[in-house]
Amino acid sequence: MSVEQQKSRKVLNKVRQACKCCRSRKIRCDNFNPCQNCQRINLPCVYQIPKKKGPRRRETVEEIPRSVQSEPSNTPEYHNAISPAPFTAHFQPSFLLSLETIQNCLDSFFTHKYPVMPILDREETYASLRHLHNSPTQYGLITSLCAVIMMQTEILVPSDKEWALDNSQQFDSMLAVDFLIKETCRARACCDHVDNPSLASVQSSFFLFTCFSRLGKDNSAWVHLRESITMLQLLRLHEETSYSTISDPKYVTYSRRTFWLLFITEQAYALQRHRPLTLRRPINLPVVEDGREAAIIYGFLDSIDLFRHFGDGFMSLWNSAEGNGGAAVSPQPLIKLQEFLKCAIPNVRERIDIQQADLLVTRQWLKMIVWQLCLNKGMLSSNATTDSISFHYPVDIARDVTLVARFLPLKAFQANGVGILGKIFDIGWSLADVLLVHPHILHTSSIEVGPKDYLMDLVRILDMDIRGHSKYLQLLATRADECLGVRVPRSLSAGDGSPAVCEIDWDEGIIGSDEVYGSPGSSSV
């Protein structure tokens, strides 16, 4: 652009307000038409025309392409790869779903969920909003993502407006979740996602799995997780040789990350629900490239590392009948697995808070899973020389979880959602079982922090301001009542919604941050 043209642009195109996109994303707008932010991510740049009276009209996703002149699309191959458009002649996004709602959900996803689900390209996702009217596949991906965020209203990016599906209804997040799931199904029916699978279809099935899992619909959740994995396999993205034939580096990057996210998720869900595994032969790990995402991908690799030893051999033992029936099992592989977990994620303190919460709690939960298998196979001993096969090992695990909750902020747990509370609940339940069977462990000195305190703290942690926490809180609190012989209060959160782990004096020199993250000679979390 010549100097003369730049001067003309400044005179003719500059206005005195931010465009709708910049205002919704809460970033600085240069006030030109189009502004640099919208040009960079290929979004229509629209300015609100003030009205003297009458309610403000909300722009909906189906109106986006009408706000700019038609022009050839220069969208990168990655976007085209996830947006096939068969059977789209009569498809239209719902007029009830506003652009503002979508953008707020995307902002929340990339702020809070992306560190543990790094499977979408930020710029391409925002740019795709202008094509939703002719891409039901991409629309289904966006609505399923929005449904996940609506399940966690505590992480929504603040807005100065009442959220609603239209101008007449006050915002109800569960109504929105139901609506968004139905919109996703409607869009998928239009694009025949089974016979025409795409990476976007794989990802939308994963997001639906997340929604149904948090709604407590375990069978629906499992079906959608397996659907996501099956479509990934139909695309041959579970085979390393397929990646050498793909020319688009972005498609390779996000396909590889999607595979590994499904690998982690299937492993965790199979352990929780005693399900069989499907993704058995791993592909190459995601590549860490220099830039702002490097720290996030290193944390993602840590998550993969935690689960890499829980393969068919372990799952076969885990899913087999409980007790000592069948062939004898040596405890040595399980002891080695516990040793691996103690030394895993050595650089966890370098990760962001959201990833630290996930990694540290997941590591303790996996320790508990291995301990439970040892219990079921009759390997535990009251006189064990190794802590990991002793009856009191859940006490150590619970202690370390309470330290994690103390040293990390509430937002780190909220970003992970109710799933992280499910793991803490499992740990608390195992601790309560141990205390019921071995009540002598409860007898500690009045000035010593012991198992009773850890159990009560786990109940308090479950009272975090996270949607869906109440079912875990009530169950563990009732179990603690039975175990301790006293009624544990059900609502113990602090005024800001964080757990009130305050009755124990943690500042008496008995605890330091090294004990949370692990250091030589200390307990490793």
Side-chain angles (χ1 to χ4, degrees), residues 353-372:
D353 288 344
I354 294 170
Q355 290 177 317
Q356 284 189 35
D358 176 49
L359 291 168
L360 292 171
V361 172
T362 298
R363 176 165 67 175
Q364 296 308 313
W365 177 71
L366 289 174
K367 288 181 184 179
M368 186 66 71
I369 291 291
V370 179
W371 179 86
Q372 287 178 347

Side-chain angles (χ1 to χ4, degrees), residues 152 154 214 272-273 357-358 361-362 365 401 405 409-410 412-429 457-476 497-499:
Q152 295 178 246
E154 61 272 8
R214 290 174 182 168
Q272 287 177 319
R273 303 291 190 271
D358 176 49
V361 172
T362 298
W365 177 71
V401 170
L410 172 65
F413 288 86
Q414 289 178 327
N416 283 279
V418 73
I420 200 170
L421 297 187
K423 295 174 181 177
I424 295 172
F425 169 81
D426 289 343
I427 293 170
W429 194 266
D457 277 344
L458 292 179
V459 175
R460 293 183 177 96
I461 291 169
L462 293 180
D463 194 32
M464 284 186 183
D465 182 20
I466 298 178
R467 180 185 290 274
H469 77 287
S470 59
K471 65 177 181 180
Y472 294 122
L473 172 64
Q474 296 300 327
L475 285 172
L476 188 59
S498 59

Side-chain angles (χ1 to χ4, degrees), residues 9-136:
R9 179 175 183 260
K10 289 183 179 180
V11 172
L12 297 177
N13 291 351
K14 192 161 185 178
V15 295
R16 293 186 178 181
Q17 61 174 327
C19 70
K20 285 187 175 182
C21 182
C22 290
R23 187 166 64 251
S24 175
R25 296 175 63 197
K26 293 181 170 46
I27 59 177
R28 184 180 296 277
C29 182
D30 62 13
N31 303 127
F32 290 109
N33 191 1
C35 72
Q36 292 294 336
N37 293 327
C38 291
Q39 283 184 314
R40 181 169 55 84
I41 62 175
N42 197 26
L43 274 179
C45 189
V46 180
Y47 288 86
Q48 178 71 34
I49 300 175
K51 295 183 179 181
K52 292 185 178 181
K53 59 182 179 179
R56 179 180 174 182
R57 186 171 180 271
R58 298 166 66 101
E59 184 177 19
T60 62
V61 291
E62 64 180 11
E63 292 176 304
I64 296 174
R66 301 171 190 169
S67 58
V68 293
Q69 293 181 352
S70 177
E71 57 185 42
S73 172
N74 59 353
T75 310
E77 184 180 348
Y78 166 67
H79 176 72
N80 292 334
I82 64 173
S83 302
F87 319 120
T88 61
H90 303 293
F91 178 79
Q92 286 294 333
S94 172
F95 69 90
L96 295 174
L97 184 58
S98 69
L99 175 61
E100 178 191 354
T101 297
I102 292 177
Q103 289 177 330
N104 272 276
C105 287
L106 291 181
D107 293 344
S108 300
F109 175 83
F110 286 109
T111 301
H112 299 291
K113 302 300 293 183
Y114 186 80
V116 292
M117 300 177 180
I119 60 172
L120 297 177
D121 181 89
R122 181 190 298 263
E123 292 190 357
E124 293 301 327
T125 303
Y126 279 106
S128 72
L129 298 186
R130 66 179 299 175
H131 304 291
L132 298 184
H133 66 294
N134 59 17
S135 178

Side-chain angles (χ1 to χ4, degrees), residues 137-200:
T137 301
Q138 189 67 11
Y139 179 76
L141 173 62
I142 294 297
T143 51
S144 62
L145 180 153
C146 290
V148 171
I149 298 302
M150 290 296 186
M151 294 287 296
Q152 295 178 246
T153 52
E154 61 272 8
I155 67 170
L156 282 171
V157 172
S159 175
D160 57 354
K161 304 171 184 64
E162 291 280 353
W163 278 30
L165 293 180
D166 59 31
N167 289 329
S168 63
Q169 293 179 318
Q170 188 174 359
F171 173 68
D172 182 321
S173 61
M174 294 314 297
L175 175 66
V177 169
D178 181 67
F179 165 78
L180 290 164
I181 290 175
K182 289 178 180 177
E183 279 297 286
T184 302
C185 295
R186 180 175 72 89
R188 286 155 70 91
C190 290
C191 62
D192 194 9
H193 67 285
V194 175
D195 285 327
N196 297 279
S198 65
L199 182 57

Side-chain angles (χ1 to χ4, degrees), residues 303-455:
S303 294
I304 296 170
D305 191 50
L306 282 177
F307 285 94
R308 65 187 175 91
H309 290 292
F310 291 82
D312 286 339
F314 184 91
M315 293 304 301
S316 177
L317 290 174
W318 180 249
N319 291 331
S320 63
E322 298 183 356
N324 296 317
V329 179
S330 170
Q332 291 306 313
L334 299 179
I335 293 174
K336 289 181 179 179
L337 183 53
Q338 290 283 25
E339 291 301 317
F340 160 75
L341 290 172
K342 286 182 180 179
C343 301
I345 52 174
N347 301 314
V348 65
R349 67 171 72 213
E350 299 174 9
R351 311 302 174 227
I352 65 174
D353 288 344
I354 294 170
Q355 290 177 317
Q356 284 189 35
D358 176 49
L359 291 168
L360 292 171
V361 172
T362 298
R363 176 165 67 175
Q364 296 308 313
W365 177 71
L366 289 174
K367 288 181 184 179
M368 186 66 71
I369 291 291
V370 179
W371 179 86
Q372 287 178 347
L373 180 58
C374 292
L375 173 66
N376 292 339
K377 298 302 178 182
M379 300 177 184
L380 300 185
S381 171
S382 299
N383 301 315
T385 56
T386 303
D387 286 347
S388 61
I389 56 172
S390 66
F391 284 106
H392 64 77
Y393 196 49
V395 177
D396 299 336
I397 294 175
R399 176 199 61 207
D400 291 342
V401 170
T402 63
L403 297 183
V404 172
R406 173 158 179 82
F407 279 92
L408 290 176
L410 172 65
K411 282 291 184 183
F413 288 86
Q414 289 178 327
N416 283 279
V418 73
I420 200 170
L421 297 187
K423 295 174 181 177
I424 295 172
F425 169 81
D426 289 343
I427 293 170
W429 194 266
S430 292
L431 175 60
D433 284 345
V434 168
L435 298 183
L436 281 170
V437 177
H438 299 277
H440 65 277
I441 299 177
L442 287 169
H443 300 304
T444 57
S445 65
S446 59
I447 62 172
E448 183 181 354
V449 178
K452 175 181 176 180
D453 304 293
Y454 302 144
L455 181 56

